[in-house]
Amino acid sequence: MNITIRLPLPEGLIHHWQVGLIEALQRQGHEVALQSNGPIACETHMQLLTRFDRAVFRSGMHHPFNLRSIDQYGHVLAHSGSPRPDLIVDLVGDAPPSSTPVLSLMSNGMTGETALSRTALACMTSAHQLPQLAIMYKPAESENVVTLLTAYPALEEPHHFTASLFRLCQRACDLICQAIPRITDQQTSCLQGPAIQAQVQANLQTLPSPLLSTRTLIAYMGASLWGGAQRRMMRPFGTSEHWRIAWRQSDSMPLKQALAERPEHLCVLPDNGQHFYADPFVVWREGKAHVFCEDLPYATGRGVIAHFTIDAAGHASQPEIVLQRPYHLSYPFIFEHEGTTYMIPETAQNKTIELYRCDHFPDQWSFVRVLIDQIEAADATVLRHEGRWWIFASLAGEGRSSWDALGLFYADQLEGPWQAHCGNPVVIDASQARPAGAIFQQEGALIRPAQDCRGGYGRGVHLCRIDRLDPKAYQQTLIDALHPSALWGYSGLHTLNRAGPWEVFDLKGWRRQISIF
């Protein structure tokens, strides 16, 4: 397909993030041409923010809106003058009526690239607000505009404008690349455009306005300076987030109700403050719950997999390490197949998804094979569905957050070969993308726990009903939200699993270790 990208820049110039977009489109097999629509929009606020970030954070990160000369990329980038395009990707926001189909980028209700920086700033100064990206599609010879896709990226660094804008631009690139194959495959009718359009309009009512103001700018700068001061003041006291594992009887009352009340009959795994336990997965055998979890010593910062048991009375044994590697391990997804117990721990640091077999339960494990290589995938979760194996995982890489993008992979056999879903990432939403435990059945439906990372990592767990799962499409619906109340004394929850009479989960609190140095 011949694609023309309309740039809000003069001839011969390009923004840093646009280079990545063009290269991604070329990897899909498209011919790309550029159409300049200058001059450069001069935004004093944005220039001031860039200088402020450089002074405060001293970051070497490339600003996504840094100007580059097209000539320095040689043959990689095409110039205008190519044949009539099959599609126009409009980054300016004012594409005139055309006989060519047009894709445009919308950010918090405003079109064009400029809205990305305004959206990043607006959401960073609004508590727990995610930016909204949308891809608008106008077919040829039509005045109707349909919203094809939406995304709600994570802003991991709430006080760092340049880093947040970079992540936003990367996910905008993903969304554009994700939309084009659906158009070429003539699948726009199955994208539920009107429904998505209604969702976009409803969400816009609660999103902060991307219009810049001096007040917003001052609020951002003040929050950045105060956040940095807090981190420096608390450093001598060693205060940091600290995860603990807890369990309760699953039939006592619904977990959502229990989270809203003062916790009763809650058991918490003790620790000595020198490491934390998180990501519990549980297997019920011979009247005991066998829990496998991440054990992360603060001294090394490298996670290992530990195991402990919970007896019928709720008493836990001392955790013992059962698997460690030269790289970080976490999220030990446990499952059984044809009488054998397997584990897929998170090995994103090694850029792999790996399969392990249990030779002697529960403490002897052997490496089987790498299922998927050269991938930054977090919290891989396996599901056997309608004759296929599926892996759900959070996708990161190249400046993208690991909080906000769900990728799917499928295979006919457990050991592969595994194939990436054509729609990856199938969900870009920091409130319901990253896996948070094993998928389970409820009233005939498949329910997928997902992390809610609005306002920070692991704030809670959202339960999503899987409505469609096949090699061509994925759809889910958010049906419930689980967050611990202030009565619990914890600020987050990000893994939930059940087996036998026990419901096992992890809770985020604080670790305080006073130091005189």
Side-chain angles (χ1 to χ4, degrees):
M1 175 183 284
N2 293 319
I3 298 175
T4 293
I5 302 178
R6 299 184 73 238
L7 304 178
L9 296 168
E11 185 76 29
L13 293 178
I14 192 168
H15 280 153
H16 177 70
W17 85 274
Q18 295 165 354
V19 176
L21 171 62
I22 294 166
E23 291 175 339
L25 293 175
Q26 290 176 335
R27 286 194 296 270
Q28 288 184 332
H30 304 299
E31 296 290 333
V32 181
L34 307 180
Q35 182 185 97
S36 300
N37 293 267
I40 302 172
C42 179
E43 295 200 34
T44 306
H45 283 125
M46 290 300 126
Q47 294 175 357
L48 182 58
L49 281 173
T50 302
R51 294 193 185 101
F52 175 82
D53 272 9
R54 286 174 181 167
V56 173
F57 298 102
R58 304 184 186 278
S59 172
M61 176 182 293
H62 291 295
H63 195 290
F65 284 4
N66 279 348
L67 287 172
R68 298 285 187 267
S69 170
I70 290 176
D71 295 334
Q72 75 183 85
Y73 295 99
H75 66 282
V76 176
L77 304 181
H79 293 262
S80 56
S82 60
R84 177 179 174 179
D86 302 308
L87 178 70
I88 294 174
V89 175
D90 180 29
L91 299 181
V92 182
D94 62 354
S98 171
S99 59
T100 303
V102 177
L103 274 186
S104 57
L105 175 66
M106 179 178 285
S107 182
N108 275 29
M110 293 184 64
T111 56
E113 178 192 77
T114 304
L116 289 171
S117 55
R118 299 185 178 194
T119 294
L121 182 61
C123 291
M124 291 169 69
T125 54
S126 302
H128 300 173
Q129 286 287 354
L130 297 176
Q132 181 192 78
L133 300 180
I135 299 297
M136 318 299 291
Y137 175 64
K138 186 168 76 170
E141 310 294 347
S142 173
E143 294 299 321
N144 295 325
V145 179
V146 177
T147 306
L148 292 185
L149 297 168
T150 57
Y152 299 87
L155 301 182
E156 287 191 23
E157 301 89 352
H159 304 310
H160 195 326
F161 171 75
T162 302
S164 296
L165 179 58
F166 185 73
R167 294 189 188 279
L168 199 58
C169 289
Q170 293 293 80
R171 288 308 183 195
C173 175
D174 291 342
L175 208 60
I176 293 170
C177 293
Q178 192 180 17
I180 292 174
R182 303 192 181 196
I183 296 172
T184 58
D185 292 343
Q186 298 181 342
Q187 293 183 16
T188 54
S189 60
C190 73
L191 293 176
Q192 299 180 341
I196 296 179
Q197 180 75 34
Q199 176 193 12
V200 168
Q201 294 301 321
N203 288 335
L204 284 177
Q205 304 301 316
T206 62
L207 289 172
S209 170
L211 297 177
L212 283 176
S213 68
T214 302
R215 184 177 182 179
T216 302
L217 189 67
I218 293 173
Y220 163 71
M221 291 181 174
S224 293
L225 291 172
W226 174 240
Q230 281 185 313
R231 288 190 292 272
R232 286 191 294 273
M233 286 188 296
M234 298 309 295
R235 193 174 299 149
F237 299 97
T239 302
S240 61
E241 291 181 351
H242 185 75
W243 290 93
R244 306 186 74 180
I245 290 177
W247 55 96
R248 61 185 286 273
Q249 296 222 348
S250 57
D251 59 355
S252 56
M253 72 169 63
L255 181 57
K256 184 171 184 177
Q257 179 183 346
L259 289 170
E261 301 177 1
R262 189 175 297 279
E264 294 183 1
H265 310 296
L266 181 71
C267 302
V268 178
L269 185 68
D271 63 70
N272 59 10
Q274 301 305 307
H275 56 169
F276 70 64
Y277 297 110
D279 295 344
F281 283 82
V282 58
V283 176
W284 183 256
R285 286 192 180 182
E286 299 177 353
K288 286 185 179 181
H290 292 261
V291 181
F292 297 84
C293 64
E294 174 190 0
D295 176 357
L296 189 140
Y298 290 113
T300 65
R302 179 189 296 167
V304 297
I305 303 303
H307 163 270
F308 66 94
T309 60
I310 304 172
D311 63 21
H315 301 134
S317 64
Q318 179 67 30
E320 296 183 357
I321 297 173
V322 295
L323 181 64
Q324 52 187 330
R325 301 286 279 174
Y327 39 86
H328 177 79
L329 301 178
S330 61
Y331 200 84
F333 187 89
I334 302 286
F335 63 103
E336 294 189 4
H337 175 56
E338 296 181 346
T340 301
T341 303
Y342 292 95
M343 179 197 299
I344 298 182
E346 181 194 306
T347 52
Q349 190 179 81
N350 197 43
K351 294 188 177 181
T352 54
I353 297 179
E354 301 175 359
L355 179 67
Y356 292 81
R357 180 184 62 248
C358 185
D359 298 324
H360 180 273
F361 190 85
D363 58 349
Q364 294 180 16
W365 297 83
S366 60
F367 172 76
V368 178
R369 63 171 301 166
V370 171
L371 299 181
I372 305 174
D373 202 1
Q374 298 302 310
I375 184 172
E376 290 187 43
D379 300 347
T381 302
V382 175
L383 175 68
R384 180 76 167 163
H385 177 65
E386 295 183 351
R388 287 191 180 94
W389 288 93
W390 290 89
I391 289 178
F392 294 68
S394 180
L395 302 180
E398 297 184 27
R400 293 161 173 83
S401 172
S402 65
W403 300 358
D404 59 10
L406 176 65
L408 295 181
F409 304 86
Y410 59 92
D412 293 329
Q413 305 295 327
L414 174 59
E415 296 189 21
W418 288 84
Q419 183 173 342
H421 196 280
C422 62
N424 280 350
V426 295
V427 175
I428 303 177
D429 189 335
S431 72
Q432 51 180 300
R434 184 163 176 160
I439 297 168
F440 60 92
Q441 284 204 343
Q442 179 176 290
E443 298 178 356
L446 290 174
I447 308 299
R448 189 181 75 86
Q451 293 190 35
D452 178 13
C453 294
R454 293 172 299 172
Y457 177 68
R459 281 191 62 243
V461 170
H462 281 171
L463 300 181
C464 303
R465 184 185 67 236
I466 298 176
D467 300 317
R468 180 177 178 182
L469 176 61
D470 58 55
K472 291 187 176 180
Y474 175 79
Q475 294 173 358
Q476 67 178 31
T477 301
L478 177 62
I479 61 171
D480 210 349
L482 305 173
H483 299 89
S485 70
L487 296 173
W488 279 55
Y490 294 94
S491 60
L493 159 74
H494 83 340
T495 310
L496 171 65
N497 286 292
R498 302 181 179 95
W502 300 111
E503 200 163 43
V504 185
F505 43 89
D506 50 13
L507 296 166
K508 180 169 67 173
W510 293 95
R511 167 182 177 258
R512 295 177 177 86
Q513 184 179 356
I514 298 177
S515 171
I516 61 174
F517 300 102

